[in-house]
Every structure is written in structure tokens, then in C-alpha cells.
Amino acid sequence: MATHEDSAVTAAADRGADVKDIAVRTLSAAGTAIGQLASGLNTALLALLVLLCTAVAAVTSLAGVGLLLAPAVLRALHALAGRERVRLARWGPEVVAPQPPPTRLRPALVDPTTRRELRWLARHAALGLPLGLLGVLLPILAVRDSAFPLYWKLLPGDTTATSLGMGSAHSWPDALAVALLGLSWVIIILGLAPGMARLQARPGRQLLAAGPDVDLSLRVAELTATRAAALDAHATELRRIERSLHDGTQNRIVSVTVLLGAARRMVARDPAGADELLERAQLAAEQALAELRTVSRSILPPVLADRGLAGALSGLAANCAVPCRVDVDVPARCAAAVEATAYFVVAEALTNIAKHSGAAHATVTARGDGGRLRLRVQDDGRGGADEDGGSGLTGIRRRVAALDGSLTLASPPGGPTTLEVDLPCGS
């Protein structure tokens, strides 16, 4: 009998856990969908603006004015399409971009990528805009109506009660009826928001991805080179860590062992000499501990976990021999590998500035936008830095390539030197 009751209790607990798991997944999916719809509203508004500019350029092309506007409109179209690819990649699988389309009118008229982007522009402005508005308005309506019983007595008597613009509340039953309407908005969000987000994203995933007629061999070659660079950087890092542990820490620990053994043998006949050996052993152990901490920080600096990227970069600037100003605007945390790469890039760049540039001032700028992390390190030194000329810049380039990022170096003789790095936040 007890066994049967225990089984019933276990089954009830499992059912309760299943219901809780389903509720958590539903709420998480709805919240993610609302965020996706809101982000799509941004690009949909821009799509409507670009679509209107395209229409104006097409209409005025008969008078010749549109022909002058066409290159700017095409650049805006391609930039917006690229922004939508980044947005879609942030909320789902990556949208592989085709080769850069032309920005001149005549080649663009026969370019398949441009035609697909124009079709996406019209569909996103017509469909993505209302879906994005619903994604923003539905949570507002749900909160407004659900909380109505909390504030309805503070409203004037003739004020509309519901968010639909109908009815007035004159009693508690009326206020509770409005709250039930708010609950219906919540049910609509939970049931329809994920489908709305997929519907909003579908034109971009269908039309902005590289089509079957696009040659992806260059992209494959680029990813192959990136993978090789990542493996090479990983192997180089392992060799550096192995050398640090073997040549430094291991020797210190061996020295501690030898000194402790000698002190143990001397403690009876020469206590003063044994005390001196123990002091040397303690010093060697402290040095080994310091070297272990240095190696661990070079793998993943603890300051990133403790203070975030902004605090870590401020710490690097404070320890730099050259006066350095830091400007960081990264609203959301990036992946740990990305933040570690950004930290090491800035650390190596500031080291190079202090050693070789002769600069009086340096500036570090970090920006997070559109799923990308952009770093800029600039100094007013003598310039003349070569991206392929030193091991420091070579190491930076390998770290950046390992995350499929890009590096740009401008260092004319006489300065200034500007190092720019672009990293994907989600790598």
C-alpha cells in the first residue's frame, strides 16, 4: 500500500515538474518572440523609408533627378539588407550573405541579389511593420488592462476603461472584466507571438540569403582560412602556456622540493641553515604561485568576469605607460571568447604603443551594436606600424581571425596610428 502511495506521489511530482517546464518554455519563447518582433520593427521602419526613397527615385528618373539618387538609394538598400541579416543571425541561424551587389544603376538592374533585396524591402515594409507594431503594442495592452483594477478609481468617471477604446468602468465587476481582457492579451501573446516572429523573419531568410545561383566558393575558402587560423592560434596559445609552466613554474616547484629536502636534513645539525633554506623555499613557492596566476590570467582574465569588458579595459588603460582615455558603450555582454579576445587585443595594442610609438596620448573606444563588437585603438605617435611586421600585430590578427572578425590598421609615417577590430558578439 505504501509503495502504491509513493508511486502516486512521484507521478504527481513528475507531472507538476512537466507542467512547470512547459510553462517556463512557453514564457521564454513568447519573451524571445516579443524581442524579435520589436527589433524587426526597427528595420521595418527603415525599410518603409528606403522603399519610399526608391519610389521617389524611380518616379523622378524620367526627369534625370532619380538617376542621380539611384547610387545613394542602392547603398541604403544594401546596408539595410546587411543589417537585417545581422538581426536574423542574432535571433536564429546565420543568413549567409551573397557577394556584395553593385551600387551603380545599370549593373543593379540585372543583378539578382539586388532584385531579391528589393522584393524583401517591399514585403518587410508591408508585413514586418504591422507585425512589429503588434509585438510592441500587445505587451503594453496586456499590462494596461491587467493592472486596471489597481488604478481605475483614480480615473475620471467618463474615461474609457479598455485599451480597445470602448466601455467605462463604474464598479468592481467592470474593472475585473477589463482585467480579464488583459489576461486575454497575455494568452494571445503566449499563443501567437512565436508564429508572428517567424512570419516576420521569413522574407529575410528566404530573400536575403545567398541564392542557389550564387558562387559560395569564396565564402567557403574564407571559412576554411578562418578555421585554420583558429587552430593555429589555439596551438600557439597551448605552446606558450606549456613553455610558461615548464620553464617557469615547474622549475620553481622543483627548487622548492629540493630546498625543503635539504632543510629537513639540516634541521637537526644546523637549525640556522635550515631556517635560511626554508625562507628560500617560501620565496620560490611565492614566485611559483605568482607565475601560475600570470598564466591563468593569460588564459581568461578574471577581471572580465568581475568587472565586465568596460572595467577590464579601464584597468588596462590605468596600467598603460602612455596616458590613455577609454570610451566603452557595449549595452549587452558578448560571448566570453569575444570579450577575452577584445581584452587581449587592447592589451597587446597598448603594449605596442608604450614600447614603439613614442605617443603622448592614446584612446580606446569600444562599441556594441547590431550583434557586432567594434574596437578602436588610436595613438598620436610616430606611425609606420606594419600589420605583418611584428609578432604582436600578427598575434592580434590571428586572434581576430579565429573569431571570424576583421582587422584594419592605418599607420602612415608621422602618425596617427589607428587599429580597428570588428568582432561578432555571439561567437
Side-chain angles (χ1 to χ4, degrees):
M1 185 66 178
T3 303
H4 179 71
E5 292 178 354
D6 292 342
S7 300
V9 171
T10 303
D14 291 340
R15 285 194 297 271
D18 292 340
V19 171
K20 181 179 179 181
D21 186 54
I22 293 173
V24 170
R25 288 202 305 267
T26 302
L27 290 173
S28 176
T32 301
I34 291 299
Q36 186 173 351
L37 288 167
S39 67
L41 175 62
N42 184 24
T43 54
L45 289 171
L46 294 175
L48 180 61
L49 178 61
V50 175
L51 185 63
L52 292 176
C53 294
T54 303
V56 170
V59 171
T60 57
S61 61
L62 299 176
V65 179
L67 299 178
L68 300 176
L69 295 176
V73 172
L74 287 172
R75 284 193 294 270
L77 170 64
H78 301 328
L80 182 58
R83 182 169 181 172
E84 179 70 0
R85 292 186 187 98
V86 172
R87 184 186 77 85
L88 294 176
R90 189 165 64 248
W91 297 101
E94 179 184 6
V95 178
V96 179
Q99 294 300 314
T103 56
R104 291 185 301 169
L105 181 59
R106 188 181 297 275
L109 292 176
V110 296
D111 178 59
T113 298
T114 302
R115 291 201 297 267
R116 290 164 66 91
E117 289 181 351
L118 285 171
R119 288 165 55 196
W120 164 79
L121 188 72
R123 291 175 61 179
H124 194 50
L127 182 63
L129 184 58
L131 289 174
L133 287 173
L134 283 175
V136 172
L137 290 177
L138 282 176
I140 297 175
L141 300 181
V143 172
R144 190 263 186 202
D145 289 343
S146 299
F148 186 76
L150 301 177
Y151 62 86
W152 74 280
K153 281 186 171 295
L154 303 177
L155 300 176
D158 57 347
T159 302
T160 300
T162 67
S163 55
L164 297 176
M166 298 182 298
S168 299
H170 303 286
S171 63
W172 278 107
D174 294 340
L176 294 177
V178 177
L180 290 177
L181 177 62
L183 181 61
S184 68
W185 293 127
V186 174
I187 294 174
I188 290 174
I189 292 173
L190 295 177
L192 299 183
M196 292 165 56
R198 289 192 296 270
L199 185 61
Q200 186 193 59
R202 185 177 299 166
R205 297 200 175 277
Q206 290 178 345
L207 298 173
L208 297 183
D213 54 338
V214 176
D215 183 12
L216 295 180
S217 58
L218 293 179
R219 178 60 175 166
V220 172
E222 178 184 351
L223 292 176
T224 302
T226 299
R227 178 177 178 274
L231 293 174
D232 185 42
H234 179 66
T236 302
E237 193 69 10
L238 287 179
R239 287 194 297 270
R240 183 190 63 79
I241 295 172
E242 190 275 335
R243 284 197 305 269
S244 298
L245 294 175
H246 181 274
D247 299 340
T249 309
Q250 179 175 295
N251 289 339
R252 301 287 185 191
I253 295 175
V254 170
S255 176
V256 170
T257 305
V258 172
L259 290 172
L260 288 176
R264 186 168 60 87
R265 290 189 296 269
M266 292 178 59
V267 68
R269 68 176 186 272
D270 188 4
D275 185 67
E276 181 182 352
L277 290 178
L278 288 174
E279 184 177 354
R280 291 171 56 190
Q282 181 181 3
L283 179 60
E286 292 173 352
Q287 291 174 343
L289 181 60
E291 290 173 356
L292 277 176
R293 286 173 176 167
T294 301
V295 172
S296 66
R297 289 192 184 100
S298 68
I299 298 173
L300 186 62
V303 68
L304 285 173
D306 298 338
R307 301 172 56 192
L309 185 61
L313 296 185
S314 298
L316 288 175
N319 294 327
C320 183
V322 176
C324 182
R325 183 176 63 87
V326 176
D327 182 11
V328 179
D329 183 13
V330 183
R333 294 295 297 266
C334 298
V338 176
E339 290 190 346
T341 297
Y343 178 87
F344 288 122
V345 164
V346 174
E348 185 64 38
L350 292 181
T351 299
N352 289 342
I353 291 173
K355 286 183 177 180
H356 309 298
S357 70
H361 298 281
T363 303
V364 176
T365 306
R367 294 287 183 269
D369 181 35
R372 312 291 296 185
L373 175 63
R374 296 175 176 85
L375 300 172
R376 180 186 177 97
V377 183
Q378 188 172 39
D379 68 78
D380 58 356
R382 65 177 66 94
D386 184 3
E387 183 179 339
D388 300 317
S391 59
L393 288 172
T394 300
I396 291 177
R397 188 180 68 253
R398 287 178 176 174
R399 284 185 180 272
V400 171
L403 294 180
D404 202 15
S406 62
L407 180 147
T408 304
L409 177 67
S411 184
T417 297
T418 302
L419 176 70
E420 294 183 344
V421 172
D422 188 339
L423 297 169
C425 279
S427 294

